[in-house]
Amino acid sequence: MKFTKRTALRGEITVPGDKSISHRTILLGSLAEGMTEVHGFLQGADCLSSIACFQAMGVTIEREGDTVRIHGKGLHGLQAPTQPLDAGNSGTTTRLMAGILAAQPFTSTVTGDASIQKRPMKRIIIPLTQMGANIVSIRGNDCAPLRIQGMPLTGIHYQSPVASAQVKSAILLAGLYADGETSVTEPYLSRNHTELMFRAFGIPIHCEGTTATVHPTEHLTAQQIIVPGDISSAAYFIVAALITPNSCITIRNVGINPTRDGILEVCRAMGADLTVEPLRREQSEPVADITVRTSALKGTVIEGSLIPKLIDELPIIAVLACFASGTTIIRDAQELKVKESNRIDVMTRHLTAMGADVEATDDGMIIHGGKPLHGAVIDSHLDHRIAMSFAIAGMNADGETEITGAECVTISYPDFYQDLKRL
Ligand code: S3P
């Protein structure tokens, strides 16, 4: 797909449903008793992988556009899958589902695409094994495919070395089946959608600081859930409006959960003209309309507890930093290396190819902004966030930018290019 310079992006847009929340509706809806109805479900390939995996365990899940109905089987109603469970490209499906599979009275195998088979799973194997699970990386490399033999589980208190909602959620889901309480403490608070949705489904959960504690329960009550727009998808339009001359975009109905809104904090620190108008709450998740105008930006430092609040936005933030005056430093973000691609390496190499002044560090990037970008051929590495980030960069570069593997946006935002074109 090819991109050339644009000006004056204008109009309104509603981005698709939040990916993290959509996944969790399938997991908890499957374990609940009764029918959970979800509106605004993300129809991206990752969330469809979660649906397929639970269908393979006997759960009836119907989908009509972005409405999904999950006929829950109860905590003890899943059936042994007859084939390996295929999580596709989805780390969230793989890791969260492993927490549930660890406690089932059957053995299952979880696998996924080439990218998933390279992503680290030791981070969930260690705590789930401490709880009593029997999980084996079939190739012995601590990656998928994983063979998971369900076992009776014991509650643990786990001090996680990483701020990862996927690790935290895998443990909390396993904790639903443990004898006694299970808690997870993380170095910084990661997204808390699991905790909020546990509460909605009637699961006893207590959160204090960076510790979440769950108590086993017998019943989950089916819910009606409205999924807000994904701030991680909104981020591309926020940055597009900020850096494309003479632009003004309103993004409607965006989830602004405080564990996810780091992009807004960074934009404000850089001097962005950005208005956030809070709307009613969609159940426990806060929602807002966001209006963004072209702005003169300055560099900033992004580190520490802010990192988990914008981890998926760092590729597009790196693009943003190229258009700010001065230096932007991103540190404490080594997790970027183990996402769908090594995002420190891929962003640094490709932004450099476009003429930017970017240096990779062990835990982030240093970006000296203000150098004009020019077109280049960009390999997405089949990473949806890389493809979308370079579409926005390409629209603000001289000459032509070609993105190969551009179709990978179907993972989280199937209509991304159409929506961009419309603006
Ligand atoms: C997610 C958590 C994050 C994020 C991913 C979705 C989730 O991963 O990068 O896209 O839904 O829990 P980590 O928690 O492993 O950093």
Side-chain angles (χ1 to χ4, degrees):
M1 193 162 298
K2 291 180 178 163
F3 295 86
T4 50
K5 208 161 201 166
R6 288 282 174 273
T7 57
L9 303 179
R10 282 166 182 268
E12 285 186 13
I13 186 162
T14 306
V15 291
D18 188 276
K19 180 153 83 71
S20 294
I21 297 175
S22 295
H23 279 298
R24 286 155 172 81
T25 66
I26 299 302
L27 273 61
L28 292 186
S30 295
L31 301 181
E33 279 155 32
M35 188 187 73
T36 290
E37 187 168 87
V38 186
H39 298 279
F41 186 86
L42 171 61
Q43 303 173 70
D46 268 12
C47 297
L48 300 185
S49 294
S50 280
I51 290 184
C53 287
F54 281 83
Q55 285 173 331
M57 289 189 278
V59 184
T60 302
I61 304 175
E62 300 152 335
R63 188 167 66 84
E64 266 171 62
D66 69 358
T67 299
V68 172
R69 292 185 192 87
I70 309 151
H71 300 268
K73 289 276 190 183
L75 271 172
H76 303 283
L78 297 180
Q79 292 163 13
T82 54
Q83 304 280 328
L85 295 163
D86 184 358
N89 190 245
S90 173
T92 308
T93 309
T94 308
R95 297 196 178 109
L96 271 60
M97 189 167 63
I100 295 173
L101 294 173
Q104 301 306 309
F106 53 74
T107 299
S108 53
T109 302
V110 183
T111 191
D113 68 6
S115 154
I116 268 298
Q117 293 187 36
K118 285 194 225 127
R119 295 181 65 187
M121 293 298 151
K122 201 170 177 179
R123 51 182 58 201
I124 55 155
I125 296 176
I126 290 175
L128 293 175
T129 303
Q130 279 177 22
M131 294 178 81
N134 187 346
I135 307 185
V136 176
S137 161
I138 290 172
R139 294 205 190 101
N141 59 356
D142 292 325
C143 300
L146 303 175
R147 187 180 310 112
I148 304 181
Q149 185 186 358
M151 289 286 183
L153 301 182
T154 315
I156 57 166
H157 298 283
Y158 190 66
Q159 185 85 43
S160 177
V162 280
S164 160
Q166 294 183 357
V167 171
K168 171 174 66 177
S169 302
I171 299 167
L172 294 175
L173 285 160
L176 289 177
Y177 295 90
D179 62 345
E181 73 170 36
T182 296
S183 68
V184 186
T185 302
E186 3 179 39
Y188 299 118
L189 188 63
S190 64
R191 64 192 66 192
N192 66 355
H193 305 299
T194 299
E195 296 92 305
L196 294 178
M197 209 180 286
F198 267 29
R199 208 165 277 145
F201 276 82
I203 301 165
I205 177 133
H206 178 73
C207 303
E208 204 172 319
T210 64
T211 300
T213 307
V214 67
H215 291 267
T217 181
E218 275 309 307
H219 303 286
L220 276 62
T221 318
Q223 296 297 306
Q224 295 272 330
I225 298 171
I226 302 168
V227 181
D230 197 327
I231 193 166
S232 298
S233 297
Y236 303 99
F237 298 104
I238 293 174
V239 171
L242 287 174
I243 66 175
T244 309
N246 198 21
S247 297
C248 178
I249 299 178
T250 296
I251 312 151
R252 299 234 176 258
N253 210 33
V254 183
I256 52 159
N257 177 317
T259 62
R260 293 285 300 283
D261 68 353
I263 174 95
L264 303 179
E265 204 172 309
V266 164
C267 289
R268 287 193 190 103
M270 294 176 88
D273 180 350
L274 180 125
T275 319
V276 179
E277 199 172 316
L279 304 173
R280 80 228 158 269
R281 274 177 172 251
E282 302 288 20
Q283 292 141 352
S284 45
E285 296 280 354
V287 178
D289 289 341
I290 300 175
T291 299
V292 194
R293 291 182 189 78
T294 311
S295 305
L297 302 164
K298 56 181 192 299
T300 187
V301 177
I302 306 169
E303 62 185 352
S305 61
L306 190 52
I307 295 294
K309 290 167 56 140
L310 45 62
I311 187 74
D312 292 340
E313 288 67 81
L314 285 169
I316 189 64
I317 288 173
V319 172
L320 178 65
C322 293
F323 291 85
S325 61
T327 301
T328 294
I329 300 173
I330 300 170
R331 58 168 85 101
D332 303 324
Q334 50 275 62
E335 278 293 300
L336 286 179
K337 293 180 181 169
V338 291
K339 295 295 179 189
E340 286 84 330
S341 67
N342 177 339
R343 288 178 178 164
I344 294 181
D345 177 57
V346 174
M347 287 308 299
T348 304
R349 276 193 294 114
H350 288 334
L351 284 173
T352 304
M354 293 182 79
D357 183 350
V358 185
E359 191 187 317
T361 62
D362 202 39
D363 63 351
M365 285 169 262
I366 299 172
I367 302 155
H368 302 288
K371 286 189 90 185
L373 300 192
H374 55 74
V377 177
I378 304 294
D379 175 1
S380 72
H381 290 73
L382 300 182
D383 181 338
H384 53 134
R385 303 216 186 274
I386 298 294
M388 291 188 276
S389 297
F390 280 98
I392 305 303
M395 283 167 44
N396 286 277
D398 293 324
E400 186 176 85
T401 297
E402 181 176 350
I403 303 178
T404 61
E407 68 286 350
C408 64
V409 301
T410 51
I411 291 295
S412 64
Y413 198 157
D415 292 335
F416 176 72
Y417 299 116
Q418 291 91 312
D419 285 355
L420 195 54
K421 204 165 184 181
R422 205 166 46 72
L423 289 171

